[in-house]
Amino acid sequence: MRTTKISQLTAYWVLNKTFILFVLGLGIIVSILIKMNVHVWGRLSIRHLIALIGPYLISFTVFWLMIRLCWRQSSTIKIGILLVLVLWIGYSADFWYEYAYHWLPEKGVNFVGKITPRRLIQFNNRVFVGNTLVIVIAFIVQFLTHYLSFRTRFKRRSNALNTTIVSARLSDHFTRQWIKIVQDNKVLHRPETIHLLQYMIDIVANKKLKVAIAEEWMQLRVMASCFTDRTVLFEGEHLLASADWNRSIPAAALLSWFENALDHSPKGEKYIIWITWCRKDTKLQLQMRNTVATARSHGHSGTGTQMVQQLFDQLLPGNYKIEYINHANMFTVQLSFM
């Protein structure tokens, strides 16, 4: 019974976490207002309480919706939303002045004294503090909503990978290492990570042994975009014709090599991972080169590279040549198509 209730609560949280976090944000604002005005609550009627709390809750809702829209839209729309936000902050003092000193008194609600220069300064300060308060809480609520939603989707797709048989199609070593790298490097907030995991799931679901170079290359770029602690340079793409992009390679082969480079190279933007296409004697060739972090990892002779080699042996016998080149503190994977 207890397990069932926990499962039901978990399911309710997953489906309604945006609403729950929004209500929690409203609750935080109300609790702050109660604490700030606890000495006068007893003298205020329900109409006065609504008049006092209402503007904060409305502002929070508007700011949260604007931040939420800004979070999802294109750069142009984001700039427009930010301009509206700035304009509102600039003119909000005038709006709330009209609200508190003119509109409410006309409705028979008056909880502010006669305006004086000193009270006007205090009023403007309160508007500024109120705007800051609701913006910060709205941003926190949206950030938590986005982060927790991403974690839920990431976990769901990770579980899909972990529970699917991937032998002979996908390196279990790669998926474990990739998820570990994502978590260790704090890139869980990147939507590209979800797309890459979905690509891996699609490979398994469709039982793909081989994919076109173009498809794998696109996902390799997605993978590279998830990291800001390395510099990844892509070169020579213009050398490939349409027929080259349509050539087949084992699924996740390039991704496994790149994961290997991430795992064994030092962190820092000055450490570059080169991924270069070239032609040698009319033959297409791909080189992936990176600095080696430690002597222990020198050579990258781990499970990942062995699996990639086996996949090429099984799926493309005689159509390729793979070389692992050690030179000083650099390691190069060189794939040549015959």
Side-chain angles (χ1 to χ4, degrees):
M1 180 66 71
R2 184 178 179 181
T3 304
T4 302
K5 288 183 177 180
I6 293 174
S7 299
Q8 291 175 347
L9 289 174
T10 302
Y12 183 83
W13 162 253
V14 171
L15 293 174
N16 301 282
K17 56 181 172 292
T18 300
F19 174 75
I20 293 172
L21 289 171
F22 175 76
V23 171
L24 285 175
L26 294 177
I28 291 171
I29 293 174
V30 171
S31 65
I32 293 174
L33 291 175
I34 290 175
K35 184 175 181 180
M36 292 175 62
N37 299 277
V38 67
H39 58 287
V40 296
W41 282 119
R43 303 199 302 267
L44 299 180
S45 66
I46 297 298
R47 295 180 68 193
H48 284 80
L49 295 178
I50 295 174
L52 178 61
I53 295 175
Y56 289 91
L57 301 187
I58 293 172
S59 292
F60 170 77
T61 303
V62 172
F63 284 132
W64 177 72
L65 289 174
M66 293 178 71
I67 292 172
R68 188 171 176 81
L69 286 172
C70 188
W71 206 285
R72 295 182 173 186
Q73 301 301 325
S74 64
S75 298
T76 303
I77 297 178
K78 285 181 179 179
I79 293 173
I81 293 174
L82 288 175
L83 287 175
V84 172
L85 186 63
V86 170
L87 287 173
W88 165 248
I89 293 174
Y91 289 97
S92 59
D94 296 333
F95 177 84
W96 294 126
Y97 176 82
E98 293 293 326
Y99 170 81
Y101 284 94
H102 292 90
W103 190 81
L104 285 181
E106 291 176 0
K107 303 299 179 181
V109 179
N110 193 345
F111 57 80
V112 291
K114 185 178 179 181
I115 191 66
T116 64
R118 181 172 176 273
R119 285 183 175 177
L120 182 60
I121 293 174
Q122 291 177 340
F123 180 83
N124 289 332
N125 289 338
R126 287 180 180 178
V127 171
F128 175 78
V129 172
N131 282 333
T132 303
L133 173 67
V134 295
I135 287 174
V136 170
I137 295 177
F139 180 82
I140 292 174
V141 168
Q142 173 55 26
F143 177 81
L144 288 175
T145 302
H146 177 77
Y147 180 77
L148 293 175
S149 176
F150 188 93
R151 287 296 298 269
T152 300
R153 290 182 292 147
F154 183 83
K155 184 177 181 180
R156 185 165 58 246
R157 284 163 173 80
S158 298
N159 290 337
L161 283 173
N162 292 333
T163 56
T164 305
I165 298 175
V166 295
S167 59
R169 299 190 304 275
L170 185 66
S171 168
D172 180 60
H173 169 79
F174 165 74
T175 57
R176 289 198 312 269
Q177 289 298 106
W178 167 235
I179 291 173
K180 177 178 178 294
I181 288 174
V182 167
Q183 294 171 336
D184 290 346
N185 287 271
K186 312 297 183 186
V187 294
L188 290 176
H189 63 284
R190 298 275 307 206
E192 290 85 353
T193 310
I194 292 290
H195 299 159
L196 180 55
L197 282 173
Q198 188 61 54
Y199 169 72
M200 305 301 294
I201 293 171
D202 291 341
I203 287 176
V204 175
N206 296 323
K207 299 181 179 180
K208 287 186 178 180
L209 296 174
K210 296 182 288 187
V211 295
I213 291 176
E215 186 176 6
E216 183 87 356
W217 187 256
M218 180 176 64
Q219 297 304 324
L220 179 63
R221 279 191 164 275
V222 169
M223 189 172 178
S225 72
C226 292
F227 295 88
T228 58
D229 60 349
R230 318 290 168 85
T231 300
V232 184
L233 297 181
F234 294 87
E235 300 175 342
E237 295 173 68
H238 64 281
L239 297 176
L240 278 74
S242 298
D244 295 321
W245 288 116
N246 289 327
R247 295 188 68 160
S248 296
I249 57 173
L254 301 185
L255 300 181
S256 295
W257 278 331
F258 186 67
E259 170 269 316
N260 203 50
L262 286 171
D263 200 28
H264 293 280
S265 61
K267 294 183 179 180
E269 294 182 3
K270 66 178 181 179
Y271 295 104
I272 302 174
I273 299 176
W274 287 271
I275 305 177
T276 306
W277 290 102
C278 60
R279 289 192 180 275
K280 296 290 181 67
D281 299 327
T282 71
K283 294 180 180 178
L284 183 63
Q285 188 177 92
L286 173 67
Q287 292 183 347
M288 192 176 300
R289 182 160 49 99
N290 65 275
T291 305
V292 178
T294 63
R296 181 177 59 82
S297 62
H298 191 65
H300 298 218
S301 56
T303 305
T305 52
Q306 294 175 8
M307 286 186 174
V308 173
Q309 183 78 48
Q310 292 171 3
L311 286 171
F312 272 95
D313 288 339
Q314 294 172 4
L315 301 176
L316 298 169
N319 294 330
Y320 73 97
K321 180 181 179 181
I322 296 177
E323 299 175 84
Y324 299 119
I325 304 169
N326 295 310
H327 180 69
N329 64 336
M330 300 296 296
F331 178 77
T332 303
V333 176
Q334 184 168 285
L335 171 65
S336 302
F337 291 90
M338 300 294 127

